[in-house]
Amino acid sequence: MLRILATPWREFARLYSSVAFVRLAVLGIGLGVVSGCAAMLFFLGIEYAKHLILVAWAGLSLPAPAGEGLFHDAAAGGAYRPWVIPLATCATGLVTGWLVQRFLPDSLAGMTDGTDAMIRAFHRGKGVIRKRAPFIKGLTSILTIASGGSAGREGPISQIGAGLGSFVADRLHLSTKERRLLMLAGAAGGLGAVFRAPLGGALTAIEVVYREDFEAEAMLPAILSSVVAYTLFAYVFGTEPMFAIPRFSFSDMRELPFYLTLALTCAFTGWAYVRTFRFMKYGVFLRLAERVGIMWTTALGGLLVGLFGIIYTPMLSDGYGWVEQAILGHLTVTTMVTIMVAKTLATAMTLGSGMSGGMFAPALFVGGMTGGVVGYAAHDLFPHIVREPGGYVLVGMAAFFAGVAHAPVGPLIMVCELTQGYGLLAPLMLASAVCILLNRKVSLYENQVENKFESPAHASDATVNLLEGLTVRECFHRGRVPTLEEGTTLKALTDVIAGTSVFTFPVRDASGALSGILAVQDVRALLYEESLFDLVVVRDLMRPLLTLAESDDLYAALLRFVDTDLSHIIVVDDDDREKVLGLLYRADLFKAYSDALRIARED
C-alpha cells in the first residue's frame, strides 16, 4: 500500500523538480505585487496631476472613460485659462530634457518609448535596465500626460515593471536568461493592471519583443504577475472595465467586407502614423537636438504641443474619454477624422521631441478613430447591415496596434476583456491578420527583431538546439581503441603510444571493468625519464573515467570537451557501458555543427 501511495508523490516530485521553473512562478507572483503597487501609484499620479493642471488650473472639461473618472467629478478651479496648457507642456519639456540630458543621454536615439526601451534591454542589454531609468521616465511621463502631452501610460509602466523585474533578478543573483524573463513578467504586471486586462496585458508583453514570434518561456511568470497586479489594482479602483459600453456582437456575414475595409484603412493610417512619427523624430527634432541640445528641443516640442492643444483640445493627454465617446456614437465622422489627424501630429511632436510617455495609447486612439470613421460611415450608407458601428471602434483599436506593433494576440484579447465578451472575436481576428500582413515592413518599435533566431538573447539557444538535435552515434569514429590496464608500466606505455595515433586510452582494472582514462598530454613529460620506466604504472597517471554513450546528444559532448582539455572522448555502448565502441573527436563535433548550421540556413 505504501509503495502504491509513494508512486504518485514520486512522480509529483519529479515533475516539479525543476528549481528554475518553480522559482520563476514564485517570483512572477512577487513581481505582480510590486508592479501592481507601482501601477496604482503611477495611475494615481497621472489622474491627480491631470485634474490639477488641465481641469483646476486650465479650466478644461475633458471627457474621461467611465472606469477612470477619479477626480473628474470635482469642480473646475476657475475660469478658462488656455495659456496654462503651453506653459505646463513647455515647463515639462524643460524638466524632461534636463533630466534626460543629465542622467539618460542615450535614451532618445534608437527608441520609440518605454516599451521599446524594454525591448532593447531584452535583446541587446542582457535584461539590464538602469535603476534610475524607470523612476525618471515614470516621473516625466506623469508630467507629460498630466500637462496635456499626447502620450500614454502603458509605455512607461512597461518600463517601470521591467525595471523592477531586472532589479529583483540582480538582487537575487539570477542568470541573464532569468533576468530577461522577469523583466517581461514585470512589464506584464504593469500592463495588466493599468488596462484591467490581465490576459491581454500578459500576452502583449511577451509577444511585442518580436515581429513573428513570442517569448514562450516568460508566459507563466508573466500571467501570474499580470493576474496578481490586476487583482491589487482592481481591489483599489474597482473591477469595472475602462469603458462603460454595451456588449457588441458579430452575427451578420454581410459585415465582413466592411471589416475588411476597416483593416485596409487601419493598415494605411498605421503606415502614416509611424512615418509621421519617424519624420518628426529623426527629420526634425534629433537634428535640432544636435544643434541646441536635448533640453531646448524637448522644451520646443512641449511648447508646440501646448499651442496645438489650445487650438484643438481633443488631442491633449491620453484621450481615452474621446475613444469612449466614439464608441457610444457621440462623435461625427468629420470630428473623428479631425481628431485622428490631430492625434497623429500631436504624438509625433510630443514623443518625437523626446518627452516621456508611451505610444500604445495614442496608437489605440488613432486606431479607434479609424474604426469609427469606417463603422459610422458604413452605418450611414447601410444601416440594415452595419447595426453596431461602435464595435468598429474597438476592432480598429486592436487591428491598428496589431499592424504597427506586430502583436496579433495580446491586443485582440485585450479588446475582448475591455468589452467583457467575445462577440467581436471573428472580425477582430480578420482585421488584425490583414493589418499584420499589409504592414510587414512597418514597425512602431525600432528594437523589435523578427524572431528568436535574430535575437542576441537566443544566440546561445540556437547553438544548443542544433547540437541537441544530433547524437554521438552520427559522427564518432567506430573501431578498436587500444585499452590499457592499471598495472601497465611506463615503459610498456611508451611502446603503445608510439604505435598508435590515439591520444586518449580507456583503462581497465584487474576485474576488466573500465576504471579511468589516460591522456597522452599527462604522460608527455615522463616519456623520456628512463629511470621511471619500471616504477610508474598507468594507475598513477590516469584520470577519472569519462565516456559518452552512443545516444548522448552533441551538446552534452560539447560540455565534456569544454570541461576538459581532451581532443578525444571514449564512446561506449548504450546497453553495455563496459563495451568501448570508438572515439569522438573534437574536430568531428565542430564539423557536425557546421554542417547542421549550413543545412538550417539553406532551409
Side-chain angles (χ1 to χ4, degrees):
M1 175 64 71
L2 291 176
R3 184 177 301 175
I4 295 175
L5 293 174
T7 301
W9 286 106
R10 190 179 297 113
E11 288 297 315
F12 180 84
R14 182 186 64 79
L15 183 62
Y16 291 96
S17 61
S18 173
V19 177
F21 178 84
V22 177
R23 180 167 59 217
L24 284 175
V26 173
L27 290 175
I29 295 173
L31 274 176
V33 175
V34 178
S35 60
C37 293
M40 287 188 287
L41 293 174
F42 186 66
F43 177 69
L44 274 174
I46 289 176
E47 291 301 303
Y48 177 75
K50 187 195 299 184
H51 170 75
L52 186 66
I53 297 173
L54 296 181
V55 179
W57 294 351
L60 296 180
S61 179
L62 299 175
E68 297 188 351
L70 298 182
F71 302 98
H72 296 277
D73 293 333
Y80 177 53
R81 307 179 188 92
W83 52 268
V84 170
I85 302 171
L87 181 63
T89 53
C90 185
T92 297
L94 279 172
V95 172
T96 300
W98 182 82
L99 288 172
V100 169
Q101 185 172 283
R102 178 71 174 81
F103 299 105
L104 303 170
D106 59 343
S107 66
L108 290 182
M111 284 187 292
T112 301
D113 63 358
T115 301
D116 207 22
M118 176 200 72
I119 296 172
R120 185 169 75 170
F122 179 87
H123 291 305
R124 298 178 176 84
K126 298 183 178 180
V128 176
I129 294 180
R130 285 188 291 178
K131 298 178 180 63
R132 65 181 64 167
F135 295 101
I136 293 175
K137 288 295 185 180
L139 174 62
T140 54
S141 295
I142 290 175
L143 294 175
T144 298
I145 300 169
S147 64
S150 179
R153 55 181 180 257
E154 297 77 16
I157 197 59
S158 294
Q159 190 173 12
I160 291 171
L164 291 172
S166 177
F167 174 76
V168 169
D170 283 339
R171 296 291 294 179
L172 297 178
H173 305 291
L174 302 182
S175 65
T176 300
K177 178 180 178 179
E178 290 174 314
R179 186 192 302 119
R180 286 187 169 108
L181 298 181
L182 290 183
M183 190 180 69
L184 296 182
L191 283 174
V194 296
F195 257 117
R196 306 186 197 190
L199 182 55
L203 294 178
T204 299
I206 65 174
E207 69 177 348
V208 78
V209 293
Y210 302 107
R211 294 192 185 98
E212 297 180 352
D213 210 335
F214 67 97
E215 195 61 35
E217 290 181 276
M219 184 172 292
L220 175 65
I223 289 178
L224 291 173
S225 174
S226 184
V227 169
V228 172
Y230 161 77
T231 303
L232 290 174
F233 195 90
Y235 178 78
V236 175
F237 299 110
T239 58
E240 294 298 319
M242 181 186 299
F243 302 125
I245 55 177
R247 292 193 179 185
F248 299 102
S249 61
F250 168 76
S251 58
D252 192 340
M253 295 295 292
R254 294 177 297 173
E255 279 194 90
L256 284 180
F258 299 105
Y259 280 113
L260 181 60
T261 302
L262 166 62
L264 297 174
T265 309
C266 283
F268 172 75
T269 54
W271 171 84
Y273 179 81
V274 173
R275 288 294 298 270
T276 302
F277 171 75
R278 295 281 172 84
F279 171 76
M280 294 296 291
K281 179 177 182 178
Y282 293 106
V284 178
F285 288 112
L286 272 185
R287 291 183 180 181
L288 183 63
E290 294 173 356
R291 296 185 179 183
V292 301
I294 297 173
M295 185 173 68
W296 299 112
T297 302
T298 53
L300 176 62
L303 179 62
L304 292 175
V305 171
L307 294 173
F308 194 5
I310 294 177
I311 299 171
Y312 198 65
T313 55
M315 45 71 57
L316 292 173
S317 198
D318 51 27
Y320 283 129
W322 295 104
V323 174
E324 184 175 86
Q325 295 294 307
I327 297 172
L328 297 175
H330 297 164
L331 303 178
T332 66
V333 172
T334 303
T335 301
M336 286 187 285
V337 170
T338 307
I339 293 178
M340 180 176 63
V341 175
K343 193 67 174 179
T344 299
L345 293 174
T347 304
M349 287 189 289
T350 302
L351 300 180
S353 66
M355 296 179 72
S356 299
M359 292 285 281
F360 197 107
L364 294 182
F365 187 103
V366 175
M369 293 301 164
T370 303
V373 169
V374 174
Y376 284 99
H379 175 70
D380 291 340
L381 296 174
F382 305 95
H384 59 289
I385 297 178
V386 181
R387 295 185 175 89
E388 297 178 333
Y392 285 70
V393 178
L394 294 168
V395 174
M397 291 168 63
F400 184 95
F401 188 76
V404 298
H406 303 276
V409 181
L412 184 151
I413 298 297
M414 197 173 290
V415 167
C416 291
E417 290 179 301
L418 289 175
T419 59
Q420 295 188 331
Y422 291 88
L424 296 175
L425 186 59
L428 280 167
M429 295 172 64
L430 172 67
S432 298
V434 172
C435 278
I436 292 173
L437 181 64
L438 295 178
N439 282 342
R440 283 180 56 84
K441 295 186 179 297
V442 177
S443 181
L444 180 63
Y445 299 119
E446 302 175 39
N447 290 281
Q448 276 184 328
V449 298
E450 289 294 329
N451 47 51
K452 292 179 181 179
F453 291 104
E454 295 191 14
S455 171
H458 290 279
S460 60
D461 292 350
T463 301
V464 172
N465 289 338
L466 283 175
L467 291 177
E468 284 182 340
L470 301 170
T471 61
V472 171
R473 182 181 291 107
E474 300 173 43
C475 58
F476 84 100
H477 282 69
R478 189 181 296 271
R480 181 179 177 276
V481 179
T483 303
L484 303 174
E485 297 180 357
E486 289 184 357
T488 302
T489 63
L490 180 60
K491 178 176 176 57
L493 179 60
T494 57
D495 296 334
V496 174
I497 293 175
T500 182
S501 59
V502 174
F503 291 93
T504 303
F505 301 90
V507 179
R508 296 186 183 276
D509 59 19
S511 65
L514 290 174
S515 58
I517 60 171
L518 186 136
V520 171
Q521 56 263 40
D522 296 338
V523 187
R524 188 171 290 113
L526 305 176
L527 287 178
Y528 303 101
E529 297 289 339
E530 296 184 6
S531 60
L532 301 177
F533 274 9
D534 295 324
L535 298 177
V536 176
V537 296
V538 167
R539 185 188 305 107
D540 303 323
L541 304 172
M542 71 180 187
R543 302 185 184 191
L545 183 63
L546 178 66
T547 62
L548 287 167
E550 278 188 292
S551 60
D552 287 341
D553 60 67
L554 291 189
Y555 181 63
L558 176 64
L559 294 181
R560 300 287 179 87
F561 279 118
V562 169
D563 292 338
T564 67
D565 58 350
L566 298 175
S567 58
H568 309 143
I569 295 181
I570 298 163
V571 179
V572 297
D573 187 77
D574 284 328
D575 300 323
D576 184 2
R577 295 303 176 102
E578 298 296 325
K579 182 179 180 180
V580 177
L581 301 179
L583 294 170
L584 176 67
Y585 289 57
R586 186 194 297 262
D588 291 333
L589 185 148
F590 291 144
K591 184 178 184 302
Y593 171 71
S594 177
D595 292 342
L597 183 61
R598 185 183 67 255
I599 293 172
R601 286 174 174 171
E602 290 174 354
D603 293 341

